[in-house]
Amino acid sequence: MKTSFRVLFLGLCLLLVVFSCKETVKAEVAAVDTYVAEHYTKQEVDIEMRDGVKLHTTIYSPKDTSKEYPIIMQRTPYSSQPYGEGNFRPQIGPNVNLMKEGNIIVYQDVRGRWLSEGHYENMRAYIPNKTSNDQVDESSDTYDTIDWLVNNVENNNGNVGIWGISYPGFYATYATVDAHPALKASSPQACIGDFFFDDFHHNGAYLLSYFRATSLFGTPRPNGDQPIDTAWYVLPELPTEDQYQFFLDAGPLKNLDYFYEYETADTPKMRPEGVTDDFFWNELKEHPNYDELWKSRGLIQHLKDVKSSVATMIVGGWFDAEDLYGPLETYKNIEKYNDGNYNTMVFGPWDHGRWSRRDGRSLVGNYYFGDSIAEFFQDNIETKFFNHFLKGDGDKDSGLPEAYVFDTGKREWKQYDTWPPANSAKQTMYLSENQELTSEQKGISGIQFISDIKKPVPYSEDVKTVFTPRKYMTDDQRFAARRSDVLVFQTDVLDEDLTLAGDIMAKLKVATTGTAADWIVKIIDVHPSDSETNEEMQDHLRMSNYHLMVRSEVLRGRFRNSFSNPEPFTPNQKTDVNIKLQDVFHTFKKGHRLQVQVQSTWFPLIDLNPQTYVENIFKADESDFKTQTHTVFTDSNIEFSVLK
């Protein structure tokens, strides 16, 4: 009886402890959730732009009105919710430090989205040299918004900053063009630079894996494009979790049109044949080349006159599957054309936007990079940047380096005065026979493989359907290395560290029995057999011999000479195909190998190339798709940027 009573008593104590812990956790969560409401007042206003259109804007102002504060704003197509002056976000601003230190935080629905008036244009084109108030773009909307804020929001100190991740990052870049004098700091993060090279395209290849995201940008608002406070778009639901098999069975891209035909029995079909209700899907289909539509909407080419009064800090993730081109090219173009501007870059071991979280252990997919890396960025870099330019004296001596970059091989932060580092140099390696990657060319011969359009190379060994893929950027590539349609070239085991710091150029010499082909190059860090497996690794994998994909890229072969003027291959003719891979900062450590994989399909990350030339792959017929034999010649080489 005593034993039973003791067990019962201990059980009750345990329940009390568990209940108490749960209550403590709930209390802590509640405290975090109510912080903004306790310390900020919220105001929602509709700010009138120069053409009369009103943009819905939410303003969070510190309740402590004894001092003045900077304004930090974000413009977004994804909603400034929650709406209603009694409803508060659980966290505001770029990070928790800037929220708790006190800043006026502003969110705005961009033109044509959610509760803002006007018509939305996906990546609205910049209009230089405007001649009337009817000529508006995101630059003028930002200018007009800032002008209203500094003149109407109480207790502001006259300094404005802007930030945003992904599409909001695009708007943060846009703000620096024809900038308002009050704008002192801009941090475009994972910023879209050009939709022909970010997100939905890579070097002309359509990213089929982004198919489900199309409706987010291309569904017209209902009721004559009137403001709306709830989502009006629906993401397509695939009828299977096997995305690879679904798209393989679906066949040509034109067979997917029905996902973007939104009418019901009460709204009969009124559009021309071949045109859907989704305006972005129509644009993708009708503009397969880099024509004026895409060129006009790209922002990179308009960064030649960024105001010197605006400090910029470009942030990105080395493993960002969505927007890697954008932040790198934004930094490089501001740097190239705006001598004397304060312009810096921060790149860490993150996927899309992961630096905005406080997750503790930092991983991308299976691969672990260290602890509290995002926290370090927020606490020691991002907060310091905004405080210096918005609350401090704002001179160029911010205490931050030109380039704050994370070496994803050594797993440590480095600081440089320039990017790429001054002590980096080009080093060429050749794709040689016997799967060798060599420092010297060893003769010229052709290595053939069959590219079977019924069995394309998967981009991941996972079986899943995703909204947009991210994990594959660090996926183990052993599954691909063991396929006959993936060519492998690798060094001997390295006897000293090799650090790549900068861009990579693959200079392929190829041929095909067909008239069209895609070319994919992957740079891989082959780990030793005694590498330790981290706890988050998928159960079927081990770090022993892990093939870490460090960088990868595709070029749709028709665009090898021009993205605007595609051309077929001449069958069996040796042809140059040069593929620029985005920058890396990665040390291949002693005992590892550097490996290069070359293939021609990457499914369904990108759509299938018919491998016979057609004018528009979005309109190709099933009969256009043919299996072909491709050849890679051993005078092909990879030019690396190597840290000396």
Side-chain angles (χ1 to χ4, degrees):
M1 287 292 292
K2 287 182 179 180
T3 302
S4 299
F5 177 78
R6 189 179 296 113
V7 170
L8 178 61
F9 176 76
L10 290 173
L12 287 170
C13 290
L14 180 60
L15 284 172
L16 287 171
V17 169
V18 170
F19 181 77
S20 176
C21 289
K22 285 183 177 179
E23 288 300 303
T24 301
V25 170
K26 285 181 181 178
E28 289 175 354
V29 170
V32 172
D33 287 345
T34 61
Y35 182 90
V36 178
E38 290 170 357
H39 293 84
Y40 285 83
T41 58
K42 180 186 174 187
Q43 178 186 13
E44 294 187 41
V45 297
D46 294 320
I47 300 176
E48 186 171 333
M49 301 294 103
R50 63 190 64 181
D51 65 342
V53 168
K54 295 178 180 179
L55 303 188
H56 191 78
T57 308
T58 300
I59 304 165
Y60 294 90
S61 298
K63 288 183 177 179
D64 179 0
T65 59
S66 64
K67 53 186 175 180
E68 294 182 336
Y69 302 92
I71 297 169
I72 305 179
M73 65 181 294
Q74 180 183 106
R75 305 186 67 243
T76 177
Y78 300 132
S79 175
S80 59
Q81 290 178 340
Y83 300 117
E85 293 192 8
N87 298 319
F88 290 78
R89 290 187 175 214
Q91 181 175 319
I92 56 174
N95 64 53
V96 67
N97 304 314
L98 293 166
M99 175 181 74
K100 292 188 174 182
E101 287 176 7
N103 289 282
I104 298 167
I105 307 297
V106 175
Y107 295 90
Q108 183 178 74
D109 294 338
V110 297
R111 180 179 292 254
R113 298 289 283 189
W114 296 88
L115 284 181
S116 284
E117 297 176 350
H119 178 67
Y120 173 70
E121 290 184 15
N122 202 8
M123 298 280 285
R124 188 183 302 274
Y126 168 64
I127 304 172
N129 305 314
K130 301 175 183 66
T131 58
S132 76
N133 286 341
D134 291 330
Q135 293 184 320
V136 294
D137 54 24
E138 305 303 341
S139 175
S140 65
D141 282 354
T142 308
Y143 189 105
D144 294 350
T145 299
I146 291 175
D147 199 62
W148 189 94
L149 292 170
V150 296
N151 285 295
N152 291 277
V153 176
E154 294 181 354
N155 300 313
N156 82 82
N157 70 359
N159 293 335
V160 179
I162 189 168
W163 97 103
I165 298 173
S166 194
Y167 216 140
F170 166 77
Y171 297 114
T173 307
Y174 224 131
T176 68
V177 182
D178 299 334
H180 191 284
L183 184 66
K184 304 300 182 185
S186 175
S187 183
Q189 304 181 4
C191 45
I192 305 168
D194 191 313
F195 256 170
F196 204 72
F197 303 97
D198 283 309
D199 289 293
F200 291 88
H201 297 97
H202 274 212
N203 291 328
Y206 168 59
L207 264 71
L208 184 58
S209 52
Y210 283 67
F211 175 78
R212 296 183 64 232
T214 306
S215 60
L216 183 62
F217 304 104
T219 306
R221 283 194 301 188
N223 302 320
D225 206 10
Q226 290 299 303
I228 185 171
D229 64 359
T230 54
W232 64 96
Y233 49 81
V234 177
L235 303 180
E237 288 297 330
L238 304 188
T240 174
E241 293 186 20
D242 189 343
Q243 191 170 337
Y244 179 100
Q245 194 63 47
F246 171 78
F247 284 119
L248 195 63
D249 292 343
L253 291 174
K254 65 181 182 180
N255 292 347
L256 300 174
D257 281 355
Y258 68 93
F259 280 99
Y260 297 118
E261 296 171 353
Y262 301 138
E263 77 277 359
T264 66
D266 297 325
T267 55
K269 179 176 176 179
M270 298 294 290
R271 60 183 176 270
E273 187 66 33
V275 177
T276 69
D277 299 290
D278 191 289
F279 57 83
F280 186 43
W281 179 246
N282 292 336
E283 288 173 347
L284 289 166
K285 286 176 54 179
E286 298 302 324
H287 300 272
N289 307 327
Y290 194 48
D291 59 15
E292 286 307 311
L293 178 109
W294 303 115
K295 290 178 182 178
S296 68
R297 296 181 181 184
L299 194 53
I300 299 299
Q301 61 266 38
H302 297 299
L303 299 179
K304 295 181 179 180
D305 188 24
V306 172
K307 300 296 184 184
S308 60
S309 56
V310 184
T312 49
M313 183 178 75
I314 317 303
V315 181
W318 289 129
F319 299 101
D320 189 338
E322 298 179 37
D323 298 302
L324 185 58
Y325 169 91
L328 284 168
E329 290 301 313
T330 297
Y331 166 77
K332 290 178 180 180
N333 278 271
I334 294 176
E335 194 70 14
K336 179 178 180 180
Y337 293 110
N338 301 275
D339 187 38
N341 280 31
Y342 183 96
N343 178 48
T344 61
M345 61 175 277
V346 182
F347 273 76
W350 301 304
D351 58 14
H352 193 62
R354 189 63 63 121
W355 52 89
S356 66
R357 305 181 190 178
R358 299 180 77 87
D359 289 339
R361 286 175 66 84
S362 298
L363 296 102
V364 177
N366 285 304
Y367 204 86
Y368 167 69
F369 289 102
D371 290 334
S372 303
I373 299 173
E375 289 86 338
F376 177 85
F377 161 72
Q378 294 173 36
D379 298 345
N380 299 287
I381 303 175
E382 185 176 46
T383 300
K384 192 172 186 177
F385 170 76
F386 279 113
N387 281 344
H388 179 76
F389 289 102
L390 300 181
K391 294 180 178 178
D393 57 21
D395 63 13
K396 292 183 180 179
D397 186 15
S398 67
L400 295 170
E402 173 77 13
Y404 223 137
V405 286
F406 193 92
D407 184 329
T408 54
K410 287 186 174 179
R411 306 182 193 183
E412 61 186 23
W413 285 104
K414 293 289 187 180
Q415 301 180 34
Y416 294 103
D417 294 332
T418 61
W419 183 263
N423 56 335
S424 64
K426 300 298 183 184
Q427 182 174 324
T428 299
M429 296 186 182
Y430 289 86
L431 310 184
S432 298
E433 290 275 12
N434 301 316
Q435 300 190 43
E436 292 183 338
L437 185 64
T438 60
S439 57
E440 302 291 337
Q441 182 179 320
K442 293 186 175 182
I444 302 177
S445 58
I447 305 173
Q448 293 187 334
F449 66 95
I450 296 172
S451 181
D452 188 343
I453 51 94
K454 295 294 185 184
K455 296 181 179 180
V457 180
Y459 76 92
S460 173
E461 63 178 340
D462 292 347
V463 176
K464 62 171 64 172
T465 295
V466 296
F467 175 60
T468 56
R470 297 182 179 182
K471 170 184 166 291
Y472 81 95
M473 292 289 282
T474 61
D475 263 357
D476 185 358
Q477 297 299 307
R478 275 176 283 197
F479 78 94
R482 293 163 181 171
R483 286 181 58 117
S484 61
D485 50 359
V486 177
L487 303 185
V488 175
F489 308 89
Q490 65 182 10
T491 64
D492 293 332
V493 174
L494 298 174
D495 55 14
E496 60 182 16
D497 289 355
L498 174 68
T499 301
L500 305 186
D503 64 9
I504 301 168
M505 180 65 76
K507 300 178 179 179
L508 302 184
K509 316 285 186 180
V510 301
T512 175
T513 55
T515 51
D518 293 334
W519 300 96
I520 295 100
V521 174
K522 299 183 291 192
I523 309 301
I524 293 159
D525 182 345
V526 179
H527 287 49
S529 58
D530 60 354
S531 296
E532 185 177 347
T533 300
N534 54 275
E535 61 189 60
E536 295 88 353
M537 182 76 67
Q538 286 175 282
D539 290 342
H540 69 286
L541 292 175
R542 295 293 180 271
M543 193 58 70
S544 176
N545 198 40
Y546 194 91
H547 284 34
L548 170 68
M549 190 167 73
V550 173
R551 184 60 72 240
S552 56
E553 194 54 277
V554 57
L555 177 71
R556 181 135 282 173
R558 63 178 54 216
F559 298 120
R560 63 194 179 278
N561 295 320
S562 168
F563 289 110
S564 301
N565 300 299
E567 56 189 291
F569 286 92
T570 300
N572 302 311
Q573 179 174 300
K574 188 176 183 180
T575 306
D576 290 342
V577 173
N578 296 326
I579 308 173
K580 179 185 176 183
L581 285 75
Q582 301 300 334
D583 295 29
V584 299
F585 185 38
H586 185 88
T587 295
F588 293 75
K589 298 174 76 172
K590 178 182 177 180
H592 292 226
R593 294 176 186 262
L594 191 163
Q595 182 183 100
V596 174
Q597 293 183 6
V598 180
Q599 59 199 63
S600 194
T601 51
W602 211 14
F603 194 75
L605 183 68
I606 62 171
D607 63 315
L608 276 181
N609 192 317
Q611 303 193 137
T612 54
Y613 188 84
V614 294
E615 291 298 324
N616 186 344
I617 294 178
F618 281 90
K619 300 181 179 181
D621 296 320
E622 189 145 3
S623 59
D624 295 320
F625 290 78
K626 304 289 185 184
T627 292
Q628 305 289 355
T629 298
H630 301 326
T631 303
V632 175
F633 294 92
T634 57
D635 50 345
S636 299
N637 65 76
I638 312 291
E639 184 181 81
F640 296 103
S641 301
V642 177
L643 198 62
K644 298 298 184 182

